[in-house]
Amino acid sequence: FTAIFVGLVVVVALLVLFKPENKGAATGLTWVAALVGLVDVFVMASIYSTTSAPIWQGNATFVEFYAATISIGAVLFLLFSLNEAVNMGKIVALATVSIVVIQVAVVVPYFVAAGSSSSIAWKFSQVWGS
């Protein structure tokens, strides 16, 4: 999925650079790339959540992956799209803050529970799995 995502992003970039009149194709491929990217993040989080490290085996792993994806995407959008960022800055900021709040609400209790666990496997994975 990562290779498909990267390939689609390269095709979109080439379309925008060399065929700017094909906005419809670039927009369509951008949406396809976004969907493939979201599936790719799910696949990567699934790989982590099925490892032998207990600290990664849970929904917090998926929340962490998607929160990182959305936060990094928002920062890159603000850096590289200054014209659109002026108009959408508040929306992007609100979305990013919302994602961080969800991340904290899910991940902090998860790690508090992990820290108070008496399981040796959990203790070991906290040291080596982070």
Side-chain angles (χ1 to χ4, degrees):
F1 276 94
T2 302
I4 294 169
F5 173 71
V6 170
L8 287 168
V9 169
V10 168
V11 169
V12 169
L14 291 173
L15 269 174
V16 169
L17 286 173
F18 297 114
K19 299 281 187 179
E21 66 275 2
N22 288 343
K23 289 186 183 215
T27 301
L29 280 175
T30 298
W31 281 104
V32 171
L35 277 170
V36 170
L38 290 173
V39 171
D40 187 28
V41 172
F42 179 82
V43 169
M44 285 189 256
S46 295
I47 291 169
Y48 271 80
S49 70
T50 57
T51 65
S52 61
I55 199 74
W56 293 336
Q57 298 171 356
N59 292 333
T61 300
F62 291 91
V63 171
E64 288 279 7
F65 271 70
Y66 279 107
T69 300
I70 293 168
S71 298
I72 292 169
V75 168
L76 291 174
F77 171 75
L78 292 172
L79 287 174
F80 294 118
S81 303
L82 292 178
N83 292 337
E84 289 92 4
V86 170
N87 297 330
M88 296 184 64
K90 289 180 184 177
I91 294 169
V92 172
L94 181 62
T96 304
V97 168
S98 299
I99 291 302
V100 171
V101 167
I102 292 168
Q103 181 181 16
V104 169
V106 171
V107 175
V108 169
Y110 181 76
F111 284 123
V112 168
S116 63
S117 172
S118 60
S119 167
I120 293 175
W122 273 83
K123 297 290 184 193
F124 184 75
S125 69
Q126 289 174 26
V127 174
W128 297 106
S130 312

